Amino acid sequence: MGPHRTYRKALSTLAAALLLGSCGKGTPVVYPELDLAESALLPKPREVEASLGSFGLDSLVRIEIGEGIARDSILRSELTRFLQKRTGWDLSGNFIPEKNNLLFWKKARKDRFIAFRLDAELLPDQPEGYQLQAFKDSILVTSSTELGLLWGLQTLKQLVPWKSNDTLAEFRFYPIPEGVIRDYPEWGYRGMMLDVSRHFFELEEVKALIDQLAFYKMNRLHLHLSDDQGWRLEIRSWPKLTEIGGASEVGKTEGGYYTQLEFRGIVEYARERGITVIPEFDMPGHTQAAVASYPELNGTSRPAVPYYGTRVGFSSLATRKEITYTFVDDLLSEVKPLVDGGIIHIGGDESAATESGDYRYFLNRIKGIADQKGIGLMGWEDIAVADIDSTTVAQYWTRKKNAEIALSKGARLVLSPASRAYLDMKYTPTSRYGLNWAGYIPLDSAYSWQPEKEFPDYRKSVLGIEAPLWSETITQPDEMEYLAFPRLLAYAELGWSDPGHKNVDDFKRRLVGIQPFLEEDGIDFFRSPSVNWK
Ligand code: TNX
């Protein structure tokens, strides 16, 4: 079938024709004909085959988390929590095999169940792919991986209607459209960055953001943990980083930091939900908070005092002093286990106060230390001038030339061009928050970005996309949400969906369908004027 598959139109949600089914006691029940292709799924799945009919989700449904699934408990708890929220039913006792809830198993439906199962044959080349089959009597979510099952769960959540059907049967049920979804992502790296340095965001606020990212199948959270205005992660061998550097933020309001235990909590919370956290420590520039904490690290003649403004490019580590490399070594040693040996981002952008030879020298020294520790580095595209290699990821944000140099050295790219992907750019000149140095990014132009067109041979050279949210102008969650939503959903779709299926009107239709989720979660999204919000 061609790229525009059978998205059947015209069948309204509660179609006129009804099918006959039966409830446990034999009373005839009619299940409505629903069209899966009309569902407001975001990001848009690859393939949807609608077959008219529905699965009736009721309080007696059995739920199975298949054998050998290590993420059993997160699948269970996420599903139970979600269904409780949506239906009011506590279905925690409905899981197979039966435990101590004999009462339920006496009544339980023999004819209907929801199952999550591993199947090595299912899209074996797509490590995040999954299939969701909805039949009259069962919903089967299958994947060759546990990640795939998590993404399948998010899709299932988006399929449960907001209201039960109270007219078609004597009991309450939620009809889920019948059909098959086969789905997998376009890119392996689908990220967002949050700058917690310019303004600090609390632990619970970051976790709430992780829930949002997971719901839209995004799988990377890059945390910008240090900059001129604040140092946000406890480093035990350099305690003043957070004692002094953790106290400041833009505008001189109260800063903050995460203890290693708290940060580890964020990493684990994210990982359970399919998201990898990438910690960034920006160096050798953007380091005023570090040098204010340890003046011996100061590489400029500027006083080593805290900074509360929003300028960039004035600070630098002392690139020719050995103490700086002791610092970097200690830092990487402490952070590596916190992210289970995953990628560490070392910034490297806008080091205008570092002489260019010193900049290269510094980066090459860091690269050596990282290699020796077996750490893969990521950095802003500026790092292309150093001796980077195929273990390095360069993040393209403004100069294509640099990104091309990085590629020529074997590095791979994550794409975040500021004029297309920066969540801190205002929507329009009247936006309440945000900057405009890279232009304005209304929702439609965010969605119209074509990351696959940025570099030739992109499947080899590009890992994916990331939408960074710098926090100079935002101090708390509602302000963060105003800039991030709804554009984040456009980036989620660019990261996941087939570019050949792209259609801005259809995207906006589905966005309106998703609106109740945003409202339920209290997300203060910007009412982009081009969308017919409810
Ligand atoms: C540029 S993007 C920066 C940040 C600012 C941002 C504001 C990048 C690598 N550096 O320091 O916060 O612009 O949009």
Side-chain angles (χ1 to χ4, degrees):
M1 247 170 271
H4 298 280
R5 281 183 77 89
T6 52
Y7 283 96
R8 225 172 309 190
K9 281 265 139 68
L11 284 155
S12 66
T13 19
L14 283 179
L18 297 168
L19 287 175
L20 235 69
S22 75
C23 93
K25 297 182 191 104
T27 324
V29 182
V30 275
Y31 291 100
E33 286 200 346
L34 300 181
D35 187 354
L36 185 60
E38 294 279 294
S39 299
L41 296 173
L42 212 155
K44 185 182 193 122
R46 297 260 143 185
E47 296 175 16
V48 176
E49 275 168 41
S51 40
L52 303 181
S54 55
F55 171 89
L57 169 67
D58 67 30
S59 62
L60 297 177
V61 70
R62 292 173 296 146
I63 309 173
E64 173 197 322
I65 308 290
E67 269 167 47
I69 298 179
R71 287 179 200 261
D72 181 284
S73 78
I74 187 79
L75 284 167
R76 223 173 245 261
S77 61
E78 288 280 296
L79 188 59
T80 311
R81 203 169 51 91
F82 170 76
L83 290 174
Q84 168 108 52
K85 202 164 58 172
R86 181 65 71 255
T87 67
W89 296 320
D90 173 9
L91 302 185
S92 55
N94 294 31
F95 287 82
I96 301 166
E98 83 184 72
K99 294 234 169 79
N100 300 320
N101 47 339
L102 288 175
L103 222 58
F104 169 74
W105 290 102
K106 268 196 183 149
K107 299 181 297 182
R109 296 199 176 286
K110 302 287 175 284
D111 64 338
R112 224 166 306 152
F113 66 96
I114 297 175
F116 288 79
R117 291 176 186 158
L118 286 174
D119 175 357
E121 312 271 284
L122 204 276
L123 298 167
D125 304 329
Q126 295 294 340
E128 295 182 88
Y130 69 93
Q131 173 173 272
L132 187 152
Q133 295 162 290
F135 305 115
K136 229 167 293 305
D137 62 349
S138 54
I139 291 189
L140 295 176
V141 180
T142 30
S143 171
S144 61
T145 68
E146 307 212 349
L147 276 179
L149 294 179
L150 285 177
W151 303 140
L153 169 62
Q154 304 300 355
T155 299
L156 178 58
K157 287 188 199 169
Q158 296 186 357
L159 289 174
V160 177
W162 283 79
K163 282 210 176 84
S164 62
N165 195 307
D166 295 330
T167 55
L168 296 177
E170 286 157 8
F171 56 93
R172 212 148 55 85
F173 73 91
Y174 292 76
I176 293 174
E178 270 189 59
V180 181
I181 293 171
R182 247 179 313 274
D183 200 11
Y184 56 90
E186 180 71 8
W187 305 95
Y189 188 119
R190 304 177 301 280
M192 174 182 171
M193 187 205 82
L194 180 64
D195 172 4
V196 294
S197 173
R198 269 56 175 271
H199 283 104
F200 183 65
F201 287 84
E202 304 288 340
L203 197 64
E204 292 310 316
E205 297 164 355
V206 174
K207 287 184 177 170
L209 179 63
I210 288 171
D211 287 337
Q212 293 299 317
L213 294 173
F215 188 59
Y216 302 107
K217 304 186 177 72
M218 297 186 81
N219 66 356
R220 296 287 186 281
L221 174 63
H222 166 184
L223 288 175
H224 185 74
L225 288 165
S226 75
D227 211 301
D228 293 315
Q229 296 86 349
W231 186 281
R232 306 299 179 207
L233 180 67
E234 171 195 21
I235 301 299
R236 292 179 181 157
S237 51
W238 296 73
K240 286 191 217 158
L241 287 171
T242 43
E243 267 163 42
I244 296 172
S248 49
E249 67 173 22
V250 167
K252 244 183 173 167
T253 36
E254 197 188 333
Y257 65 90
Y258 312 116
T259 64
Q260 291 197 0
L261 214 61
E262 288 169 331
F263 181 74
R264 181 72 193 160
I266 294 178
V267 170
E268 277 170 13
Y269 188 87
R271 192 192 35 214
E272 281 189 310
R273 288 158 182 77
I275 296 172
T276 304
V277 171
I278 297 170
E280 178 186 351
F281 304 91
D282 207 345
M283 301 179 279
H286 288 277
T287 43
Q288 190 63 23
V291 305
S293 309
Y294 291 98
E296 58 269 44
L297 297 175
N298 192 2
T300 73
S301 54
R302 203 177 184 282
V305 293
Y307 181 68
Y308 309 99
T310 59
R311 282 191 307 115
V312 297
F314 57 84
S315 56
S316 180
L317 294 178
T319 52
R320 300 286 172 173
K321 278 164 75 178
E322 275 318 293
I323 180 86
T324 295
Y325 300 100
T326 308
F327 167 68
V328 169
D329 194 301
D330 291 344
L331 174 66
L332 294 182
S333 300
E334 288 198 36
V335 174
K336 180 183 174 187
L338 295 177
V339 291
D340 302 305
I343 282 185
I344 298 176
H345 199 303
I346 45 128
D349 60 311
E350 298 175 320
S351 286
T354 320
E355 196 269 310
S356 64
D358 292 346
Y359 178 81
R360 266 199 306 278
Y361 173 78
F362 174 81
L363 280 178
N364 289 343
R365 289 282 305 264
I366 293 205
K367 177 77 170 81
I369 296 170
D371 282 350
Q372 186 203 333
K373 296 183 186 298
I375 294 172
L377 293 182
M378 182 160 169
W380 299 102
E381 79 212 0
D382 318 49
I383 64 167
V385 298
D387 297 336
I388 59 174
D389 58 30
S390 62
T391 67
T392 316
V393 177
Q395 188 167 5
Y396 165 50
W397 66 283
T398 183
R399 282 184 204 87
K400 207 159 230 179
K401 188 92 195 34
N402 280 339
E404 281 158 0
I405 295 171
L407 278 179
S408 73
K409 294 183 175 178
R412 279 177 304 166
L413 301 178
V414 166
L415 310 185
S416 309
S419 63
R420 306 308 312 240
Y422 268 28
L423 288 167
D424 63 315
M425 291 302 114
K426 293 181 170 194
Y427 295 89
T428 69
T430 60
S431 289
R432 270 186 277 145
Y433 309 102
L435 303 171
N436 64 4
W437 67 264
Y440 299 101
I441 310 184
L443 176 66
D444 291 57
S445 72
Y447 187 77
S448 72
W449 177 35
Q450 297 182 288
E452 73 281 6
K453 299 267 166 72
E454 294 278 2
F455 293 89
D457 209 7
Y458 73 94
R459 288 202 184 274
K460 266 176 57 192
S461 50
V462 177
L463 297 173
I465 65 173
E466 182 182 294
L469 179 47
W470 302 95
S471 62
E472 286 94 333
T473 66
I474 52 172
T475 64
Q476 48 187 16
D478 59 334
E479 301 169 359
M480 175 218 308
E481 289 160 6
Y482 171 92
L483 286 176
F485 297 89
R487 287 183 293 199
L488 186 67
L489 282 61
Y491 299 119
E493 179 139 320
L494 297 185
W496 182 280
S497 305
D498 184 342
H501 288 176
K502 198 161 162 177
N503 177 324
V504 70
D505 293 326
D506 181 59
F507 168 68
K508 288 191 227 171
R509 174 188 70 80
R510 288 177 286 113
L511 187 53
V512 174
I514 286 291
Q515 183 182 349
F517 284 98
L518 295 170
E519 285 168 353
E520 179 179 56
D521 292 339
I523 303 290
D524 259 303
F525 61 97
F526 171 61
R527 262 69 177 169
S528 293
S530 74
V531 176
N532 279 324
W533 300 105
K534 278 191 274 221

